[in-house]
Each structure stands twice: as structure tokens, then as C-alpha cells.
Amino acid sequence: MTDTQTMTLTVSERIDDRGGIARIRLTGDDLPPVSAGAHLDIYLPEVDLWRQYSLCSDPAETGFYEIGVLKDPASRGGSVEVHRIAQPGATLSVEGPRNHFPLEESAATTVLLGGGIGITPMIAMAKRLHALGKPFTLHYCTRSRDVTAFYDELTAAPFAGRVVFHHDDEDPAQKLDLGRDLPAPSPDTHLYVCGPQGFMDWVIDSAEAAGHATANVHREYFSADVDLTGDTFEVEARASGLTLTIGPDDTIAKKLAEHGIKVEVKCEEGVCGTCVTDVLEGEIDHRDQFLTDEEREDGDQMCVCCSRGRGKLVLDL
């Protein structure tokens, strides 16, 4: 992980857009540069949570960052808290930007697929690709035109002709059809997908079944349904000289913290990568959505917020 300092940023503007999405602009002194696909980590002190939000602002913009936040009452309280506190003039503790979803700018063909609030990183990517003069198509899927945030911006954008909207409640012919709307597989064709887990799994599975290389199907999960429970196993923190038992309802990160071994955890769902830890020995039961298949096969790192072990794990802690 790249170390970044905590910044105090000010909410300079807020637009409450369609579909319960707040578009929030953040300003501060000497903002670090941004690449398309980057996100910010925002700390919410009242609920003691860190949450990650993708940047939708132009990567070339140096005066502000913009994020889009869906108010989701079914979440663990992060988005509701952001909607409550992110009023003009408010200050937020922010880390980043970090980018685990980088854009392959040399691709000959790029297809961006956003479902709901998953559109946010796609907008930044579209702006960057347009600036580079690269061909791309942006597919934006929502339940209805009435809940389609950023609609006005995208229909007025200089790349509006490259944006295709798909709404569940309109003519079935305009719905996303992956057999029709995905290009033929090619080493120079890259796909990017972000949205609800079911949407992402459908796109990823369909793309790979059609022959697109896993490495060319880029994905970023903003949340995941993760099962944290499982059989009891042991974890040895070798550098610390401790061996701990992880029970069926424990997580490695929480058990380590109880014994004074601090591993930074933010999402608690295995999507942000903050807690990735080196594994020296043992069989990992991966539960995250962050590591790639290749990284999992290597067997030398894991997300300790949610993944588990089979038997005994030895960690480099």
C-alpha cells in the first residue's frame, strides 16, 4: 500500500442529484494529482468508519475533487453519515487519492460499464480517454431515467455520443445486451466494470465466457456480500511472537487488534485493499474481492479483514 497523509478538505459545493446521489466537491491546498479510477478514503468520526468513494471529476482538474455518494439506508451507516455531514463549508478528514482501478491508456478499444453509483469512476475515465483522443464507449445502467444521476452532465459532455444509457423500465431493446454490446475479445481491448455485485458478476462472467482475458476485464467493487464466518483456525504473527486462535465469528484483524497488533482496516468487506498482509505459510481461504486470481494463486498475501485460513496461517506481522 502507498502511504498517504490525512488531508482536511472542505465541501465547496453539493448537488443533490437524481436517485439519492449527492455530488460533493472537495477543495483544499495543494491537492495531490489524480489518475482516472482513483478514490478517496473519507473518515466519518461519529460512526467511526472509513469509507472509499471514487472520484468522478476530471483527472486534469487541479482545483477540486468530486465524488458521488448514494444514500443507502441498508448500508452500515457510512453513506447516510456522508449525506448528513457533507454540507457546504463542512470539513472532512480524507486520505488519498489511491488508485486500485487504473486505466490502461494505451488500449485500442475501451468499454466502460457502470451500474448505478458505479458510474462514478467511469466518468473520470471517460473524461481522460476523451482528452487523449482514444475511442471508447460508456454504458450506464440504472433502474429508471428518473434515478440516473449525472444524466444532465453526460448528455451535455463533449463525448455524449459515446454514452449509452440503459434503463430497466424502458423498451427492453435498449437494455444492456452483453452479447450485442461487448466488442470481440482482443489483447488491445479492455473492459471496466463497477456497480452492484450482481451486476458486476454478470458482466465479468459473461465477458470471460466470451473470451476476454481476465487481465483485460478490470473491476472495482464498492461493496461486497462477504461471509466472515467459518471453522476455527490458528494465526501465528511471527514477528510479534504470538499465536492466536480465530474462532468461527472472529476476524483475523479484530483478533490481532485485541492483542495489540494493529492492522489498518477501512472497508471491512475486502474491497479496498487497505489491510492486505503478507502470508509466510499456510492455506488461505480468500473471501475478498480485491486480490486478483493471480495474486490469490501466489498464496503470499491476504485481506485480514475478511479472509480466513485452513489449519494454520503464519503472517509477517
Side-chain angles (χ1 to χ4, degrees):
M1 297 298 297
T2 300
D3 291 332
T4 57
Q5 292 184 334
T6 301
M7 303 177 286
T8 299
L9 302 184
T10 301
V11 178
S12 62
E13 183 180 350
R14 169 174 170 160
I15 298 172
D16 288 299
D17 207 337
R18 298 174 174 90
I21 292 174
R23 296 171 51 183
I24 300 163
R25 286 193 175 184
L26 301 169
T27 57
D29 297 329
D30 300 321
L31 295 179
V34 170
S35 55
H39 71 269
L40 298 176
D41 298 334
I42 297 179
Y43 181 59
L44 306 170
E46 291 297 318
V47 290
D48 192 26
L49 292 173
W50 282 93
R51 286 294 174 262
Q52 294 73 41
Y53 297 103
S54 296
L55 289 159
C56 55
S57 44
D58 192 331
E61 175 60 56
T62 59
F64 63 85
Y65 298 142
E66 183 175 335
I67 59 174
V69 181
L70 170 66
K71 187 176 183 179
D72 182 5
S75 75
R76 288 175 294 152
S79 66
V80 173
E81 181 67 4
V82 172
H83 273 248
R84 184 184 74 82
I85 67 175
Q87 304 297 334
T91 57
L92 301 175
S93 294
V94 176
E95 289 186 0
R98 295 188 174 98
N99 198 339
H100 304 311
F101 193 41
L103 180 65
E104 178 50 68
E105 296 182 351
S106 65
T109 301
T110 300
V111 177
L112 311 171
L113 301 111
I117 191 59
I119 193 63
T120 50
M122 304 305 171
I123 295 174
M125 290 181 177
K127 291 175 178 176
R128 176 61 177 165
L129 290 167
H130 176 73
L132 293 172
K134 293 283 189 175
F136 70 92
T137 303
L138 169 57
H139 293 277
Y140 183 10
C141 302
T142 64
R143 298 190 309 277
S144 170
R145 193 179 303 267
D146 293 340
V147 296
T148 302
F150 301 97
Y151 184 84
D152 295 338
E153 176 184 346
L154 290 172
T155 53
F159 52 82
R162 297 185 179 276
V163 181
V164 184
F165 294 95
H166 307 277
H167 307 298
D168 291 346
D169 62 351
E170 295 187 9
D171 183 353
Q174 54 78 53
K175 292 183 179 180
L176 182 65
D177 180 341
L178 296 177
R180 175 195 67 199
D181 296 327
L182 291 184
S186 162
D188 293 328
T189 295
H190 287 255
L191 314 178
Y192 297 80
V193 57
C194 186
Q197 185 169 350
F199 170 79
M200 293 185 62
D201 291 345
W202 170 56
V203 173
I204 293 165
D205 291 346
S206 298
E208 293 181 352
H212 290 273
T214 298
N216 286 20
V217 184
H218 309 273
R219 71 288 309 263
E220 181 169 68
Y221 289 85
F222 55 76
S223 65
D225 297 324
V226 57
D227 179 9
L228 301 176
T229 63
D231 294 336
T232 297
F233 62 100
E234 287 191 338
V235 165
E236 177 187 342
R238 178 152 291 174
S240 302
L242 287 176
T243 298
L244 307 174
T245 298
I246 313 299
D249 297 315
D250 294 328
T251 68
I252 297 174
K254 289 179 180 178
K255 185 61 70 171
L256 289 169
E258 289 174 7
H259 289 80
I261 303 174
K262 178 67 173 176
V263 177
E264 187 176 13
V265 172
K266 289 185 175 174
C267 72
E268 301 178 90
E269 297 178 330
V271 298
C272 77
T274 301
C275 69
V276 170
T277 300
D278 291 337
V279 179
L280 302 177
E281 298 174 19
E283 183 180 357
I284 305 165
D285 178 6
H286 291 286
R287 307 287 183 91
D288 67 283
Q289 297 287 358
F290 178 78
L291 296 174
T292 65
D293 290 340
E294 292 79 7
E295 289 169 333
R296 292 183 178 198
E297 289 172 5
D298 289 341
D300 59 1
Q301 52 184 340
M302 69 183 300
C303 292
V304 295
C305 72
C306 63
S307 293
R308 303 181 66 80
R310 298 184 178 96
K312 181 179 179 180
L313 294 175
V314 181
L315 305 182
D316 189 17
L317 290 171

